[in-house]
Structures are given as C-alpha cells and as structure tokens.
Amino acid sequence: MAAGTMVSRATGLIRQALQAAALGTGLLATTYNQANTVPTSLYFLLIGGALNSVLVPQLVRARAEDPDGGAAFEQRLVTLVLCVLGVGTALAVWAAPEIISVYQDDTPNTHDAFELTVVFARFLLPQIFFYGVFSIFGQVLNARNRFGAMMWTPVLNNVVLITMFGLYLGLMTAPAQVSDITGAQVRLLGIGTTIALALQALSLLPYAHAAGFRFRPRFDWRGTGLRKSVNAARWTLLFVLANLVAATVVTRLASAADGELPDDGVGYTAYSYAQQLWMLPQSIVTVSLVTALLPRMSRAVTEHRLGDLRADLSRAIRVSGVLIVPAAFFFLAFGPQIAQLVYAHGAADAADTVPLGRMLQAFGLGLIPFSAQYLLLRGFYAFEDTRTPFRMAVWISGINIALAVACHLLLSPRWAVTGMAAAYALSYGIGLLLTALRLRRRTEGLLDGRRICRTYAKLTVAASVAGTAGWLVTRYCGQSLTPASWTPALSLAAGGLTMTVLYLLMARLLRTGELRSLPGMR
C-alpha cells in the first residue's frame, strides 16, 4: 500500500508542478484550485466522512455476523450511497454560484475571478459523484482485506492530469492573469480534470468484482440495519462540517490576500500547495497504516480484545513517527528550497514561491500532532464511537478559526496566510492533547502513553539535531554554488542527505527500537 501511495504521490507532485507552471501561484491559479477543492468538500459533507471511518466497521461486522456474509448489506449500502451522491451532485451543479460565494467574495476588483471560478465549478462539481464511487468500492475492497487497488488507481488520475497540463503548456499560450484565459483553456482544464477522476473511480469496479462483490441495486432499506449506519454517520457528518467550516473560513481569508496582492502568490493557492506538500508523508505512511489497521482494530473491539487494540494503536503511532517526525523537521529546515524546486517553473518564478516556502515551514512541525491525532481518532472509530471525534473537531476547528482571524486582522496581507498555516499546526497540537486524554478514558487507561512519548522524545532529538545540521549545509551551499539555476536542487540534495544520515545515526545511538521497522534497518 505504501508503495502504491508513494507512486501516486510522486506522480501527483509532477502534476502539481506542471499545474503551477501553467497557472502560476496567484489569483488565476486560485480560481481553478478553489473550484477543484469544492467537490471534495461537498463530497465529504454529503457522505465521504462516513464512508472513510464509520462504514468499514459496519461492513466488517456484517461480513462476520450476517448469514449471507454481508452481501445484501453491501448492496443496499452501495445503492444508498450512489443515490445520495447522484442527487447531491445535481443540486451542487445547479447551485454553483451560491456555493462559490461562500468561499470567495464577488467584489468589483475580483468579479472576473469570481465568474471564472463559477465556470470551473460547473465543470468540476460532477467529481462529487465519482469521489463517492471510488470511496464506496474502495471500502468494499478494504473490508475484504484488499488494499492495493485503492492505493494504485490514483496514479491513473495523475497520468491523465499530467497529460492534460502538458497539452495545455505545449499547445496553448499560458495566461498571466484571469482576463487572459480562453474558453478553450477553461474547457480543457475543467473537462480533463473530471474525466481523470472518473477513470480513477471506475477502474476499481473490476477489482471489486474479482474480490467477490456483485452489485445489484437494492432499495429495501427499511429494517435492514442501515439505520445504525446512518445514526453513526450523523456524528461523522457533524465532524466533517466542523472541519469544513474552519477550511471555508481560512479559504475565504486567504482569497482576500489574493485579492489584495493578485500576482505575489501570498494567498489561497500558495497555502493549498504548501499544505498538499506537507501532507505527503501523512498520505504515504499514516493513511496506509490506518487503512490496514482499522478492520483489524474493529474486529479486536468486537471480540473484546482491548489489549490487541492497544498494541495495534501504539505500534502504528510509534512506527509512523519514525518517518513523520523527521519529515516535519525536513519541511521546517528546507521549506523555501522545496517550494522553489517544485514550483518555480513556467508561469511561476523563484520570487513567486518564496511565500509558499514560508508557509511550508509554518506548517512544518504541525505534521507530528496532525498524524498522531489522526491515528488516535481511529481508536474511537473502532469502538464505533463517532461522537467524540466530532467534539475534538469542534475544539480544533474553533482554535484554528480564532487564530486565522487574528492573523487576518493583525498581519499584513503578505504574512497573514503564513500565520494561518502556523495556526493550523498549533490547533492540531492542542487537539492531540485533548484526543489522547479522551481515548485514555475510553480504553480504561490502556493507552500506551509513556512508551509513545518516550519514542517521540528520542525521534524529536534525533530529527532536530539532524535538521539543524542539514539547514547549515543548505545555507552554505546556497551561498557558494554556481550556476544559480542549480542552487535549489543541489543545496537541497546536500542538506537532505546530511539530515538523513545524521538522523539515522542519532536514532540508533538513542536506541530507538522502532527504527527497525524501516526497510533495510533490521
């Protein structure tokens, strides 16, 4: 799974670099990126959060307890999900202007950008349905312990998008601002992006069939156990809503910075690109672990084996930390170099990526609590407890919103969104403490807190020393290397290699047993 996710994220990084080359990092890019974010947000609001966290335990239970091995339950659930998403997608396309107005102001200065975002949204909102198809068939496969296809099929999406942006750059003149983009360019981006996701979703169907799933539409939902799933999903819906409110506030405030400095790359697109880079280790390491462990943890709770649940959760947090902790310090040490290497091409130059690099540094250390809190929440989901994660989301979102508004009011537009990135990281640090205390009570004190804290203390010492040494090497290379065009790549390579070697040596000296979980480190 990690291999599939790594290839997916690597191709996604290439796609992102081409996207920045085509659209830049300013207001024009924000119109496309905002419209492309809305389908994801609405999908999770409609049903996505429940699919990813609540329904796997329900599917596992149905397969274990139902006389038909859960086949009828799966068919009813898939039918229900497709119906909800079909109606929701149609309504979203119809209400595109109203939806975009939630994320972006329609003012005289930004009217052209607002109208372009609405046009993009009409092309991209059908993705809601295909996100649902991908997720529901992916969860059907996960319940059968078939994890690989869901990790590899996004590569197909990225290949299509890489081709699309390659055509865009090769056959068309890249526009510098919103008023320069043509109707043909908008159609290519809008239709191509939706087709890419549709292919990703539909490519799961043969795998589900091979795994033994046979889809037959079933509308006999009454008295079949779906009510329990719907009730559990209610709290997950509220959980998603809390996160969506915070994301919407940040998006709106970051877009305001784009409106004030439309060509400087200090707003929503820079924030979005930095956040996506920052989440790469989480996607490769933590999500892969959770996908594999959640069905197993759910079975442990069903069979009243709390000791096994504790062992699985503790090991997942400690093993993921071996890569997550140094990754966080890597972003802190090398944010500007990473941003310039990936995004300073085509329509975006080195100066445009400076704010993006600072945002990546501001996110940096927040990766540690973000990843750990994500794993701890799966402990609640194994108990089919969705109310507590909602409460944690309210706390985290409330703190994030308060800090983001403070940044907007107190900082200049050039620095406000960088402050919002730091606020996001800090809110998850506080959220991790609250979540750990709650889960400790829920598991009757079985949370392996001391061992986890001891491991993370060792990893933090090793990563901080290694990161400082790597930063010094990068700084020296940046001042001495020629030609200047090679400086970001060579200085990042030298600093990254220094940090990696020193981190592994320090972790060994500190006797960090979890280091043996890495390939080749036994």
Side-chain angles (χ1 to χ4, degrees):
M1 285 191 299
T5 306
M6 287 178 68
V7 175
S8 171
R9 297 302 173 180
T11 52
L13 198 59
I14 296 170
R15 182 258 304 164
Q16 239 179 32
L18 287 173
Q19 182 177 328
L23 300 175
T25 59
L27 185 59
L28 174 61
T30 292
T31 62
Y32 173 81
N33 286 324
Q34 269 193 359
N36 203 24
T37 300
V38 171
T40 312
S41 301
L42 293 181
Y43 156 70
F44 275 102
L45 184 62
L46 282 168
I47 204 165
L51 282 178
N52 289 341
S53 55
V54 175
L55 298 180
V56 168
Q58 299 284 346
L59 289 170
V60 170
R61 185 183 295 275
R63 286 180 60 79
E65 297 179 355
D66 291 359
D68 63 351
F73 181 86
E74 286 179 330
Q75 291 169 353
R76 294 185 185 101
L77 184 60
V78 172
T79 304
L80 176 63
V81 168
L82 295 182
C83 288
V84 169
L85 289 171
V87 173
T89 299
L91 291 174
V93 173
W94 174 72
E98 289 74 18
I99 293 171
I100 295 302
S101 68
V102 174
Y103 293 86
Q104 188 182 120
D105 281 328
D106 183 9
T107 65
N109 290 337
T110 60
H111 179 71
D112 289 345
F114 179 87
E115 291 295 322
L116 180 58
T117 307
V118 171
V119 174
F120 273 130
R122 292 200 188 278
F123 282 114
L124 300 175
L125 281 167
Q127 291 181 90
I128 296 171
F129 181 79
F130 294 110
Y131 275 122
V133 172
F134 178 74
S135 289
I136 187 59
F137 282 96
Q139 300 305 350
V140 166
L141 287 167
N142 289 346
R144 289 168 164 76
N145 292 322
R146 305 286 185 89
F147 305 110
M150 198 175 184
M151 301 301 176
W152 282 97
T153 46
V155 175
L156 177 61
N157 184 347
N158 288 328
V159 169
V160 174
L161 291 176
I162 287 169
T163 303
M164 179 190 77
F165 283 114
L167 289 172
Y168 184 98
L169 288 167
L171 301 179
M172 301 177 177
T173 302
Q177 49 191 317
V178 171
S179 58
D180 295 335
I181 195 166
T182 67
Q185 289 171 322
V186 172
R187 288 190 295 274
L188 174 64
L189 294 174
I191 296 173
T193 304
T194 298
I195 287 175
L197 185 63
L199 290 174
Q200 172 186 320
L202 297 176
S203 64
L204 279 185
L205 301 186
Y207 292 100
H209 187 272
F213 175 72
R214 300 293 182 267
F215 177 59
R216 181 168 66 86
R218 297 191 64 152
F219 300 93
D220 52 335
W221 299 328
R222 289 182 176 273
T224 57
L226 282 177
R227 180 179 294 275
K228 184 178 181 181
S229 299
V230 172
N231 287 336
R234 176 185 58 188
W235 290 107
T236 303
L237 172 64
L238 293 172
F239 171 89
V240 172
L241 183 61
N243 286 320
L244 183 58
V245 168
T248 302
V249 171
V250 171
T251 299
R252 194 175 181 91
L253 296 177
S255 297
D258 269 322
E260 301 232 8
L261 299 170
D263 301 320
D264 290 9
V266 298
Y268 173 74
T269 289
Y271 182 95
S272 174
Y273 285 167
Q275 190 176 47
Q276 289 175 48
L277 277 174
W278 175 73
M279 292 185 71
L280 278 175
Q282 158 84 358
S283 303
I284 295 169
V285 180
T286 312
V287 173
S288 298
L289 280 171
V290 165
T291 303
L293 281 176
L294 185 55
R296 196 163 96 177
M297 289 162 57
S298 301
R299 283 192 290 271
V301 171
T302 301
E303 297 166 8
H304 307 290
R305 294 183 283 108
L306 290 185
D308 290 345
L309 171 66
R310 175 203 189 211
D312 283 343
L313 198 56
S314 172
R315 178 168 173 76
I317 293 172
R318 289 182 289 107
V319 168
S320 65
V322 173
L323 294 174
I324 291 295
V325 173
F329 281 91
F330 185 85
F331 291 135
L332 179 63
F334 309 121
Q337 291 79 17
I338 297 169
Q340 187 175 348
L341 181 64
V342 176
Y343 294 111
H345 310 283
D349 58 25
D352 293 332
T353 66
V354 171
L356 197 161
R358 291 171 181 158
M359 292 177 201
L360 189 55
Q361 289 179 305
F363 276 119
L365 297 184
L367 184 65
I368 300 170
F370 181 81
S371 175
Q373 200 260 354
Y374 181 89
L375 283 165
L376 288 180
L377 285 183
R378 270 59 202 170
F380 294 109
Y381 291 134
F383 283 100
E384 299 184 27
D385 174 7
T386 53
R387 182 182 298 187
T388 303
F390 160 67
R391 290 174 175 170
M392 296 301 99
V394 169
W395 276 103
I396 293 170
S397 298
I399 295 167
N400 188 22
I401 289 171
L403 293 175
V405 171
C407 291
H408 175 69
L409 295 176
L410 300 176
L411 301 177
S412 68
R414 187 168 298 280
W415 287 99
V417 184
T418 302
M420 293 176 202
Y424 187 88
L426 179 59
S427 67
Y428 271 94
I430 298 171
L432 173 62
L433 295 176
L434 296 174
T435 305
L437 291 173
R438 288 277 187 174
L439 186 58
R440 189 172 185 274
R441 294 177 193 169
R442 185 70 174 82
T443 57
E444 302 173 2
L446 287 178
L447 190 62
D448 198 9
R450 290 185 180 179
R451 191 178 182 189
I452 292 170
C453 290
R454 188 164 55 247
T455 297
Y456 271 71
K458 294 178 182 179
L459 295 174
T460 299
V461 170
S464 59
V465 172
T468 301
W471 177 79
L472 290 172
V473 169
T474 300
R475 187 175 177 84
Y476 171 77
C477 292
Q479 294 172 347
S480 60
L481 285 176
T482 55
S485 59
W486 286 92
T487 298
L490 294 178
S491 62
L492 182 59
L497 180 61
T498 301
M499 180 179 177
T500 301
V501 172
L502 190 55
Y503 169 73
L504 294 175
L505 289 173
M506 287 288 297
R508 275 187 174 273
L509 287 173
L510 293 170
R511 297 180 180 179
T512 310
E514 290 75 14
L515 197 65
R516 290 192 298 271
S517 63
L518 296 180
M521 297 300 296
R522 295 185 181 278

